[in-house]
Amino acid sequence: MAGTLGLSFAPMNTSFRSPWFLLAATALLSACAAAPRTPLEINLVALNDFHGHLEAHKFTPDGAAKGATVMAGGIDTLAAALQAWRRDDPELLMVAAGDLVGASPAMSSMWADEPTLNAMNLLGLNVSSVGNHEFDQGRIELLRQQNGGCQSQRPDKACQIAPNYGGARFSYLAANVLDSATGKPFLPAFRIEQSHGVKIAFIGAVLRDTASVVLASGIAGLSFVDEADAANRAVAEARAQGATVFVLLIHEGGRTDEPFDQPDCQHLKGPIVGIARRLDPAIRLVVSGHTHRGFLCKVDGRTITQAEMGGHVLSRIKLTVDAASGAVQDISARNEVMIAGAYPPVPQAGAYLAGVRERSAAALARPVARVAVRSVGRAQNRAGEGALGDLIADAVLAATHEQGTQIGFMNIGGIRKDLDVAENLNATYGQAQVVLPFGNTLVVMDMSGAQIRGLLEQQWQRPHPDSEPSTLQVSNGFSYRWDPKQPKGQRVVAGSMALNGVALDEAKLYRVVANNFLAEGGDSFPMFAQAANKQDTQMRDIDALVAYLVKHDRAGTPAGSSAPAARIIRVE
């Protein structure tokens, strides 16, 4: 007690035992025991949907005024911020809500995303939930990314930037991803970290509909169960291991029109809201992802955060914890834009980034072909058609012409960036590769006219009521009209589907091509899974795009347009 309070006492004369002295000593001891303990502060830093953005990129916050775009992010900038914040609190914990990798820029994806995972090690990431993109290459590759090694289904990419890959030093978590054979989590459901003497259980989860947005073959033997139920089970297990604070890291999110940095926003919508309302009351903080939005919201007393995407923003979260019980008393959070130069640099991070950039430069700078315009955009018009979607659908159709294909389809979610080139209009491999980073293969198959109509209707039949339509991009020669005033399932105008000006016959078979993700029914297009006579060409979509650009350049008719080709018509 003397050490705690800074008091000292002379040795007691044990022969003196007056009642007054005993009463005074007892009162003093009682006062010391009853003195309130100062609440503890636990500092967290959270990010989500990093998607391999090792370098800074343009960032415009949702709802920001025109001209508010800044260069933000980059692992050198993140490292500088974390270094500064850890000086204030050496026990700060860094956490993430999935999609650290996948759909990455070429500088990461061309090396099997190993540069990004090594960067997360450098930043000191503690734990992350898995995201749907962690499953892009299947469960076996995910385990390799976690544990290390070079035995990969992508031998042309794995262990190529360095001879060995040591694995992620942080823990991937997935409470709601079960091994169908055992019924147990495929990855740890939670991990307990300690900060300032407090045991904090970080529980991981991924959207239950992951199976609809990844290759079915890659997740064979896994089941994705209810997110809230799985998280609640993990609370009980973690509590039994001494945890007193519980945080859900979940790759599922929502959206709001409120500013990305507005504290305690009140108008959050989307799947995360329903999940949060069913969580165990002990989970006071939810770090979300997937929707690439920034928000700091309250739902039924819980704090729910999300930090945009690509490392443009980090969420700084402070938990005030009762020192005696270990229970959370208060939560405050803010979203901070990661602008270069705001904090003193970390030489190690800058050197690492420079090394990856140098190794990647030669491959990425290789000229491919001249294109028609400086930017072929992925943005869709009111009908759902985009100029870049047109280009890619045309490319996959041309690549499989010898297999007799007549219609090419492309999902907009598989197109990650615009095709932006320099003033000389020469596209590099890196600029093309960032458009199609997954390396999907092309599958040709037979579908009837009726199945194609049903496929198009599925564009508006999304898994969640709040989900936006996902319009398939279609190749030259195919066209149709749709009416938004009609009910779902009846929006394609009767008789409007046409191939080279001839109406599709619902009883006739047509040879179509799509990437292997779609061919397995991905992106909530189960009609593709019903197609017959499937043949995986093993040709990658990026190779088809590059070949198409080269062919048109050599013919003197560079490909690409700044506007959609009006293959999809919305009835106004």
Side-chain angles (χ1 to χ4, degrees):
M1 183 172 67
T4 301
L5 299 178
L7 303 176
S8 60
F9 295 91
M12 184 183 296
N13 183 345
T14 55
S15 63
F16 183 68
R17 294 287 188 273
S18 77
W20 176 88
F21 179 86
L22 293 175
L23 181 62
T26 300
L28 177 61
L29 291 172
S30 297
C32 291
R37 298 175 64 182
T38 303
L40 301 170
E41 290 186 349
I42 309 297
N43 290 293
L44 308 179
V45 173
L47 84 163
N48 53 273
D49 300 276
F50 186 72
H51 288 295
H53 280 63
L54 297 170
E55 298 181 292
H57 285 77
K58 292 180 181 178
F59 168 61
T60 304
D62 285 339
K66 186 176 181 180
T69 297
V70 296
M71 294 296 290
I75 61 166
D76 48 348
T77 300
L78 301 188
L82 287 162
Q83 175 181 257
W85 299 339
R86 285 182 174 124
R87 284 174 178 160
D88 294 334
D89 181 3
E91 296 189 50
L92 174 149
L93 298 173
M94 182 183 181
V95 302
D99 277 8
L100 299 176
V101 298
S104 308
M107 198 168 77
S108 181
S109 62
M110 69 187 297
W111 309 115
D113 275 318
E114 290 168 11
T116 292
L117 295 165
N118 287 331
M120 291 298 115
N121 292 341
L122 187 152
L123 294 177
L125 180 65
N126 295 93
V127 293
S128 177
S129 69
V130 292
N132 55 285
H133 281 287
E134 265 78 22
F135 291 96
D136 280 345
Q137 305 301 323
R139 60 185 291 179
I140 295 174
E141 180 69 355
L142 171 55
L143 291 176
R144 186 189 78 85
Q145 291 177 331
Q146 174 73 86
N147 301 319
C150 296
Q151 295 298 315
S152 171
Q153 297 171 329
R154 299 182 287 174
D156 59 324
K157 297 183 177 182
C159 295
Q160 296 300 308
I161 194 167
N164 296 297
Y165 168 63
R169 292 200 291 269
F170 59 89
S171 296
Y172 270 127
L173 307 174
N176 70 321
V177 183
L178 306 183
D179 187 314
S180 300
T182 65
K184 297 180 179 179
F186 162 66
L187 293 167
F190 64 90
R191 179 180 175 89
I192 295 177
E193 296 281 349
Q194 190 160 309
S195 179
H196 299 283
V198 177
K199 288 186 175 181
I200 307 158
F202 293 100
I203 303 165
V206 64
L207 65 150
R208 186 177 184 178
D209 292 324
T210 294
S212 69
V213 294
V214 300
L215 279 170
S217 56
I219 56 170
L222 299 180
S223 59
F224 296 79
V225 301
D226 185 86
E227 305 95 335
D229 290 346
N232 292 342
R233 287 192 296 269
V235 167
E237 295 177 25
R239 183 179 282 120
Q241 296 182 27
T244 60
V245 175
F246 306 88
V247 178
L248 177 60
L249 310 174
I250 180 169
H251 193 72
E252 179 61 288
R255 53 182 50 84
T256 177
D257 292 331
E258 295 156 290
F260 80 103
D261 55 354
Q262 176 180 316
D264 299 339
C265 83
Q266 299 294 318
H267 301 294
L268 186 64
K269 298 178 181 178
I272 194 62
V273 175
I275 294 169
R277 286 175 172 158
R278 296 175 45 237
L279 292 173
D280 187 301
I283 301 176
R284 297 279 304 280
L285 172 64
V286 177
V287 176
S288 73
H290 190 53
T291 48
H292 294 196
R293 301 300 179 99
F295 52 76
L296 305 164
C297 294
K298 288 284 190 181
V299 174
D300 292 351
R302 287 187 177 85
T303 298
I304 306 179
T305 70
Q306 190 170 145
E308 297 281 346
M309 63 82 61
H312 298 141
V313 171
L314 292 181
S315 297
R316 300 186 66 184
I317 306 167
K318 181 178 292 184
L319 305 176
T320 303
V321 177
D322 181 76
S325 67
V328 175
Q329 295 179 323
D330 187 43
I331 301 173
S332 61
R334 68 180 188 269
N335 278 339
E336 185 167 324
V337 179
M338 292 290 97
I339 299 177
Y343 299 97
V346 179
Q348 183 185 2
Y352 179 75
L353 179 59
V356 176
R357 187 184 287 126
E358 182 179 359
R359 286 278 284 119
S360 307
L364 297 178
R366 175 171 58 88
V368 168
R370 184 177 173 86
V371 295
V373 293
R374 283 201 63 183
S375 179
V376 187
R378 67 189 293 270
Q380 300 164 273
N381 60 17
R382 281 174 54 81
E385 184 179 354
L388 187 52
D390 289 345
L391 176 62
I392 296 170
D394 290 347
V396 301
L397 179 65
T400 55
H401 179 72
E402 293 183 358
Q403 283 79 29
T405 52
Q406 299 163 282
I407 305 171
F409 292 104
M410 180 62 199
N411 58 312
I412 194 66
I415 308 172
R416 305 309 294 190
K417 296 287 184 180
D418 296 345
L419 179 59
D420 289 329
V421 302
E423 290 184 7
N424 61 11
L425 300 183
N426 285 323
T428 66
Y429 181 81
Q431 290 162 343
Q433 202 271 349
V434 75
V435 171
L436 297 171
F438 299 111
N440 289 326
T441 57
L442 302 182
V443 178
V444 296
M445 63 200 102
D446 291 338
M447 300 184 75
S448 69
Q451 287 178 318
I452 293 173
R453 178 174 52 78
L455 173 70
L456 298 178
E457 293 290 356
Q458 289 174 348
Q459 296 173 127
W460 301 281
Q461 297 166 342
R462 300 287 89 194
H464 292 291
D466 294 330
S467 298
E468 297 178 356
S470 181
T471 307
L472 290 168
Q473 306 301 287
V474 300
S475 58
N476 185 34
F478 180 73
S479 61
Y480 69 94
R481 292 182 294 133
W482 65 278
D483 187 346
K485 297 183 292 297
Q486 299 303 314
K488 294 178 181 179
Q490 302 176 38
R491 290 189 173 174
V492 176
V493 176
S496 69
M497 293 188 305
L499 180 61
N500 299 321
V502 179
L504 257 63
D505 184 340
E506 297 215 348
K508 182 179 176 179
L509 290 178
Y510 297 87
R511 196 72 167 154
V512 306
V513 58
N515 60 52
N516 57 333
F517 168 57
L518 283 176
E520 293 186 6
D523 212 6
S524 297
F525 287 106
M527 190 61 73
F528 274 122
Q530 299 179 24
N533 299 322
K534 290 183 179 178
Q535 177 188 355
D536 192 328
T537 67
Q538 296 301 311
M539 180 184 294
R540 298 189 307 164
D541 52 8
I542 178 61
D543 295 332
L545 175 59
V546 168
Y548 188 78
L549 297 178
V550 170
K551 179 180 178 180
H552 276 261
D553 183 19
R554 290 176 178 173
T557 56
S561 171
S562 58
R567 300 166 186 175
I568 304 171
I569 304 298
R570 170 179 167 139
V571 178
E572 300 293 349

